[in-house]
Amino acid sequence: MTPPAPPDSGPAAVGNNDHLVQSNNPDHPANLIPYLCAKFWTLGWVTGTGGGASIREDDLVYIAPSGVQKELMKPSDIYVLSLAAQAKSLDKRSRVYLRSPPQYKPSQCTPLFMAAFTKRRAGCCIHTHSHWAVLVTLILETQGPGRDREFLINNIEQIKGFGRGFDKTGNLGYHDTLCIPVIENTAHEEDLTEFLEEAMDKYPDTYAVLVRRHGVYVWGENVHKAKTQCESLDYLFQLAVEMKRLDLPWITDIEPVKTMRS
């Protein structure tokens, strides 16, 4: 007996719309996603086909496929769907793609990427399996219930790489506290969606959600901001792990230095 197709394996539209992923512009999403994923692979973020990225350009959403070695991905491997068409669908777990590559399956990350696009109007969402992100969730797990659901750190320069929050201007400052919520992992990635959306509602200013023993989702207004925040966050995760080894606290009470600006 043939098992039922997964919810994400809806048919492509008539005529595979290959023109949607064909462009000589290096900044076109279909070219940018493979380029970024190849870079992320060198950082250990998308090892063994894990992780991925998605870019929204107006109504169109471009998504890296499932099961592809991210450092070898090509523009022709990219899926494309329409936000407007998805919003009209009665079955939110079923997606009909405008363009589908014949040799791969849609990413189970798709509904999580869509959450960033619909709830935060993000232009890009990145999912990594960074081992620093995983280690931070494991360290938090040892803190016990009630203290394991947030990654908090302050008084570190790299915190300036994050915006103040959705629809807010400016970035966090050196003395501000960065808070990243943590959700529990599930056996199937797409089942994380409801928990990620709950975290986005509870923490409206966050640009990322950690998934325990799994990785992290990071989004931004555009590719530049999502990439900057993802890099900044990975730096902070690594720093936090090293600080823990040295028995240094992540949260400190430091008196601001008085300057001419004070």
Side-chain angles (χ1 to χ4, degrees):
M1 174 185 253
T2 303
D8 254 359
S9 59
V14 175
N16 205 28
N17 288 326
D18 286 344
H19 70 280
L20 292 174
V21 297
Q22 296 170 347
S23 173
N24 292 324
N25 182 355
D27 291 329
H28 186 280
N31 294 326
L32 203 50
I33 289 175
Y35 172 80
L36 289 173
C37 283
K39 293 290 186 183
F40 297 160
W41 180 81
T42 67
L43 299 173
W45 290 2
V46 291
T47 304
T49 79
S54 181
I55 297 174
R56 178 180 66 84
E57 191 173 73
D58 298 321
D59 178 60
L60 297 182
V61 174
Y62 298 78
I63 309 165
S66 175
V68 64
Q69 292 180 306
K70 298 302 189 292
E71 76 278 17
L72 303 178
M73 194 190 313
K74 305 180 297 296
S76 58
D77 298 331
I78 301 299
Y79 282 84
V80 185
L81 59 75
S82 161
L83 279 177
Q86 189 60 40
K88 295 176 182 177
S89 175
L90 297 178
D91 182 359
K92 300 305 179 184
R93 289 174 61 86
S94 177
R95 281 165 282 280
V96 178
Y97 291 85
L98 299 180
R99 195 271 167 182
S100 301
Q103 69 274 39
Y104 293 115
K105 294 181 179 179
S107 172
Q108 283 207 357
C109 300
T110 299
L112 293 104
F113 291 148
M114 296 289 285
F117 299 142
T118 57
K119 295 178 75 68
R120 291 293 182 271
R121 299 198 300 273
C124 176
C125 187
I126 299 166
H127 173 45
T128 86
H129 285 189
S130 161
H131 69 282
W132 298 116
V134 174
L135 282 170
V136 161
T137 68
L138 293 173
I139 290 171
L140 287 169
E141 190 174 63
T142 67
Q143 308 302 306
R147 301 179 59 194
D148 63 344
R149 304 310 298 267
E150 296 175 341
F151 169 68
L152 300 165
I153 192 167
N154 68 354
N155 294 315
I156 299 294
E157 182 71 9
Q158 199 67 32
I159 290 171
K160 292 180 179 178
F162 293 87
R164 291 198 169 275
F166 181 54
D167 276 348
K168 294 182 179 179
T169 58
N171 282 25
L172 294 176
Y174 166 63
H175 292 294
D176 288 327
T177 297
L178 177 68
C179 176
I180 306 297
V182 182
I183 62 175
E184 300 301 327
N185 198 25
T186 56
H188 302 285
E189 185 125 16
E190 66 181 41
D191 292 338
L192 287 168
T193 308
E194 62 178 296
F195 304 108
L196 181 127
E197 291 180 336
E198 287 175 4
M200 294 172 79
D201 291 338
K202 185 176 180 180
Y203 299 86
D205 290 335
T206 191
Y207 285 96
V209 173
L210 277 160
V211 183
R212 197 176 322 277
R213 299 171 174 265
H214 181 150
V216 65
Y217 281 85
V218 187
W219 57 87
E221 180 182 331
N222 51 45
V223 174
H224 172 78
K225 290 186 178 180
K227 179 174 176 289
T228 297
Q229 292 180 152
C230 199
E231 291 170 345
S232 297
L233 201 51
D234 205 60
Y235 170 96
L236 290 169
F237 290 156
Q238 181 176 359
L239 185 67
V241 171
E242 299 292 346
M243 289 171 72
K244 191 67 175 178
R245 287 175 180 164
L246 297 171
D247 200 27
L248 297 173
W250 296 345
I251 295 294
T252 55
D253 186 10
I254 294 178
E255 187 71 23
V257 175
K258 292 185 178 180
T259 67
M260 295 292 289
R261 295 175 179 270
S262 301

